[in-house]
Amino acid sequence: MSGEGLHILLECRRRGEALRAMGYTFDEVADMFSVCHDVSPLRLYRYAYGLTAAEAAARYNDLDPAGTAALRESRLYEFEHWPQRGMRPIARTIALFAHVYRTTARRLVGDQVYASYSVRDRDLIDRTDHRSSHATQRSSGVPAALPGHATMGQEVEAARPAAPVPGFKDCAALLRALTAEEADVKRRDLLFELALALGGAPALVLLRHLSPPEKDRLATAIRSSTRVDVATVELIEKLTARCRRLDDEFGPAKVLPVVEGQRNLVADLLHRESLLPALRDRLIRAYAELSQLAGWLHHDLLDHPGARRRYQEGLAAAHQIRDPTLIAYLHTCLANMSRFQGRIGEALDHIYAAQGWARQSPSTLLRSVHAVDLARILAADGSARDSEHALVQSRHLAERPRTEADPSYLYWWTAAGVERHTAGCMVAWGRPDDAIRTAERALSAGMRKPARGRTLLEYAEALIDKREIAAATDKIREAVHITVSHSSGRLADTVRQTRARLQPWAGNKHVRTLDEELHSLGITTSRPV
């Protein structure tokens, strides 16, 4: 075997073992390898099993029922090179290789080769199926479902999630990306291993921010059961912080698999008995923060049961380490989701639960975030005076200098954010002129894509209240452009809700033009049930 051929085989062997460990079948592994290896199906299956030509030939000879097979390594190469060169294997040979690779004979020949066989030979190929001899194959490529949530009193270890297995398309995209971007085989293998552990191809964006020693340390943490040290925990915290910023850039659809993968890694680390108490608390905090972020991403994708489950798991972990700031933040997130769903009573329950914990928190920034969400919920409940008082309090707290007590996961919160939410409250209070002025001030400052989109839609609501239809459709259109570049389901849903308020003017030329644009972008004008 040539040096290059040996390197390819060893690379495929390592990748195949990693994919098999995640539950993928040999058929699926062979399909993934076809993305980056332009070879015959016979060779793809040998790569999937990690066999040399001599080993594959030996298995073939051992399976010949007549005991007369004498397949040589050189002849196998000729079969694998067909039809570009070499020679075509007879149908009986293909059927025997299907037994060797425990698959169907039809999967071992391409369409061009299959068409070259006689009707009788094609019938043999069609009938030969040895997949049932492989008892551990999965019935499909669909990953196992994630488990239910943990209750408050459960240990984090009891809520250890199932590994979020990347789907077939994502694994194929990962192989394609690594083949194109990374020439060094060892680094490519390391990135493949790390990306699989962290959710697939989207994790490559996260891994690019790590230095080579950090990648090696992360790989060691994934592979071994040795003691977790401070540097490993710091690396986990760095990755968690980076995941939050990835959501700003790429949206929840791409980031969620990465967050779930990292969350699973932290749960695995928490299962190790050699953790020192201080490091265990830091890892539990990382698990709680990742659960909160996963809940936020599920909510942004309109998966509210999934969001609630992750938030509750985060609460269980935060209670375990008695972190009032994180507990208050998780209750605030649950309140925000309930408000979005129109469950104002439930939102009030969570926001007042958060209030008690926020009073125990040393973070003024957390209390500002809580106060602004309290203002939004009170506005939706019709309590304008109390809502306005909460906004004043939130602005006052947000203007204070940050301290070490303010958690890094609130990096995005500033006094400008209070301005944005004030515009939304003013719409609910029935003060559209004030809402328009406030929204204009908020939009003049920098903010994240989804926040800007929601502010534009609140601006549009105020314009609709004033019956300025042309201007309102312009603001909705601006928000739509953000929607198509960010996977926020909540933002798209709010576009639908805002458009629904224009229904009395459905015949207006500006509204008709907006509807045509929404339709062209695949955004329906009715809210899904």
Side-chain angles (χ1 to χ4, degrees):
M1 178 180 291
S2 67
E4 181 182 359
L6 178 60
H7 281 305
I8 292 174
L9 176 63
L10 292 176
E11 182 179 17
C12 288
R13 181 180 292 171
R14 289 189 294 269
R15 291 181 175 180
E17 288 172 354
L19 290 166
R20 290 287 299 139
M22 296 175 67
Y24 282 92
T25 67
F26 286 108
D27 286 341
E28 290 166 337
V29 173
D31 286 342
M32 288 182 204
F33 286 172
S34 69
V35 171
C36 48
H37 297 290
D38 186 18
V39 295
S40 69
L42 265 180
R43 179 161 292 189
L44 285 173
Y45 270 84
R46 182 160 66 80
Y47 284 169
Y49 276 82
L51 300 175
T52 64
E55 290 168 338
R59 290 194 182 191
Y60 176 94
N61 292 331
D62 290 342
L63 284 174
D64 185 4
T68 59
L71 179 66
R72 299 185 305 278
E73 183 179 346
S74 59
R75 180 55 56 86
L76 175 56
Y77 284 135
E78 291 182 341
F79 291 160
E80 289 180 344
H81 284 306
W82 184 261
Q84 281 70 33
R85 61 180 188 274
M87 65 181 297
R88 188 189 72 169
I90 62 174
R92 179 177 171 277
T93 296
I94 294 295
L96 202 55
F97 268 118
H99 196 176
V100 171
Y101 296 133
R102 291 177 286 193
T103 187
T104 65
R106 182 63 183 87
R107 289 184 61 89
L108 297 179
V109 291
D111 293 339
Q112 181 183 354
V113 176
Y114 176 77
S116 69
Y117 289 103
S118 66
V119 174
R120 178 176 295 181
D121 286 344
R122 289 201 298 268
D123 180 62
L124 173 62
I125 291 171
D126 289 337
R127 286 187 290 105
T128 303
D129 184 350
H130 290 284
R131 289 174 298 181
S132 60
S133 63
H134 190 12
T136 61
Q137 279 194 334
R138 294 185 302 161
S139 60
S140 72
V142 179
L146 293 169
H149 70 269
T151 59
M152 294 279 195
Q154 287 180 300
E155 294 289 314
V156 167
E157 289 86 342
R160 180 171 180 253
V165 182
F168 172 83
K169 290 183 178 179
D170 196 42
C171 281
L174 174 59
L175 287 171
R176 189 183 296 111
L178 287 172
T179 301
E181 296 178 15
E182 184 54 69
D184 185 89
V185 174
K186 289 185 178 179
R187 288 200 300 268
R188 194 160 62 211
D189 281 349
L190 178 62
L191 285 172
F192 181 72
E193 178 184 3
L194 294 177
L196 279 184
L198 295 177
L204 289 178
V205 177
L206 184 69
L207 294 170
R208 290 190 189 108
H209 292 270
L210 300 183
S211 66
E214 287 176 328
K215 290 174 186 174
D216 291 336
R217 181 173 291 278
L218 184 60
T220 299
I222 290 170
R223 295 169 187 155
S224 68
S225 58
T226 56
R227 182 183 295 272
V228 177
D229 58 15
V230 174
T232 301
V233 177
E234 289 175 348
L235 178 56
I236 293 295
E237 291 168 344
K238 176 181 177 179
L239 289 173
T240 302
R242 181 58 192 164
C243 279
R244 293 187 181 278
R245 287 161 176 78
L246 288 180
D247 178 38
D248 299 340
E249 187 175 353
F250 296 102
K254 286 188 177 181
V255 179
L256 181 58
V258 182
V259 172
E260 293 283 18
Q262 190 177 342
R263 183 174 174 273
N264 184 72
L265 171 60
V266 173
D268 284 339
L269 295 178
L270 284 168
H271 260 65
R272 300 180 184 177
E273 300 298 329
S274 56
L275 280 171
L276 295 173
L279 290 182
R280 177 172 290 278
D281 283 354
R282 285 178 67 175
L283 276 178
I284 292 174
R285 181 171 285 103
Y287 179 86
E289 288 188 23
L290 286 164
S291 297
Q292 180 277 323
L293 179 55
W296 176 266
L297 297 172
H298 278 289
H299 171 37
D300 209 15
L301 291 170
L302 300 181
D303 175 16
H304 296 131
R308 194 175 307 279
R309 183 167 60 248
R310 290 292 177 258
Y311 284 149
Q312 293 290 354
E313 289 165 348
L315 274 172
H319 274 279
Q320 191 174 332
I321 56 174
R322 298 176 178 86
D323 185 335
T325 302
L326 193 48
I327 294 171
Y329 187 43
L330 281 155
H331 272 298
T332 301
C333 290
L334 282 161
N336 181 54
M337 182 173 70
S338 297
R339 177 181 64 83
F340 178 81
Q341 292 179 281
R343 300 176 178 178
I344 302 304
E346 184 179 291
L348 286 167
D349 288 342
H350 280 296
I351 205 66
Y352 285 127
Q355 190 172 61
W357 289 102
R359 287 171 179 160
Q360 300 179 39
S361 170
S363 171
T364 56
L365 205 62
L366 180 278
R367 291 198 292 276
S368 175
V369 171
H370 168 267
V372 86
D373 275 294
L374 173 62
R376 295 299 301 257
I377 294 166
L378 290 172
D381 195 41
S383 304
R385 183 176 178 180
D386 291 338
S387 174
E388 190 167 6
H389 175 73
L391 283 172
V392 171
Q393 183 184 18
S394 179
R395 185 178 292 104
H396 172 68
L397 293 169
E399 289 171 347
R400 292 186 183 180
R402 289 177 182 258
T403 68
E404 291 183 357
D406 295 320
S408 61
Y409 50 79
L410 296 181
Y411 70 94
W412 49 273
W413 186 245
T414 64
V418 182
E419 198 85 57
R420 179 180 77 79
H421 285 285
T422 299
C425 288
M426 286 175 169
V427 172
W429 300 342
R431 290 163 49 182
D433 290 322
D434 290 338
I436 288 170
R437 285 191 292 270
T438 305
E440 286 175 346
R441 286 197 302 269
L443 289 168
S444 66
M447 63 178 75
R448 298 178 298 168
K449 285 182 182 179
R452 184 173 185 82
R454 286 191 286 272
T455 304
L456 285 165
L457 293 172
E458 286 162 349
Y459 193 164
E461 287 191 60
L463 290 167
I464 293 170
D465 287 342
K466 290 176 63 63
R467 301 196 176 194
E468 296 181 17
I469 306 307
T473 58
D474 286 341
K475 298 305 175 187
I476 295 173
R477 188 174 291 107
E478 285 186 60
V480 168
H481 289 311
I482 295 174
T483 302
V484 297
S485 64
H486 194 277
S487 56
S488 172
R490 280 193 300 145
L491 183 57
D493 192 65
T494 306
V495 167
R496 297 185 187 97
Q497 294 179 61
T498 309
R499 163 56 187 87
R501 294 196 58 189
L502 287 170
Q503 197 55 34
W505 299 275
N508 181 289
K509 67 176 182 179
H510 299 288
V511 177
R512 290 201 308 270
T513 301
L514 175 65
D515 285 345
E516 290 172 2
E517 188 168 345
L518 291 174
H519 180 74
S520 69
L521 295 173
I523 300 176
T524 58
T525 54
S526 60
R527 185 176 181 179
V529 180

